[in-house]
Amino acid sequence: MPRPRPSAPRPAPDTTSDVIRWAAFSCVLVPVVLVWYGTSLAGAAGTAFGLAAVTAVCRVLLRRSERCAAQRGGRHTRG
């Protein structure tokens, strides 16, 4: 009977990158859908700009939060 191999610990998934990737995707998709349904190009471009600005701010805040959590040793520490 073969021995089961000990599994190596998996690194934690980088959920911030996943969130930012989906947000960037929506920054492209939403204006395309708006133009498809008859919104003006200027309106769609304004929407894309707004979504990109919100995405950039959220990315900065998420990365800052990750750094602070890493310095404190995680979420569930008591000090």
Side-chain angles (χ1 to χ4, degrees):
M1 179 172 217
R3 289 183 172 174
R5 283 196 283 173
S7 60
R10 294 182 187 173
D14 188 11
T15 55
T16 301
S17 292
D18 292 341
V19 169
I20 299 302
R21 204 172 300 127
W22 279 108
F25 173 72
S26 67
C27 286
V28 173
L29 181 66
V30 168
V32 169
V33 170
L34 287 174
V35 169
W36 181 269
Y37 281 102
T39 304
S40 68
L41 287 175
T47 301
F49 179 73
L51 286 171
V54 169
T55 300
V57 170
C58 288
R59 180 179 185 267
V60 168
L61 293 174
L62 283 167
R63 293 295 182 189
R64 175 185 260 180
S65 175
E66 282 183 337
R67 281 195 309 268
C68 289
Q71 287 174 353
R72 292 183 183 153
R75 273 177 28 177
H76 302 291
T77 59
R78 295 182 187 197

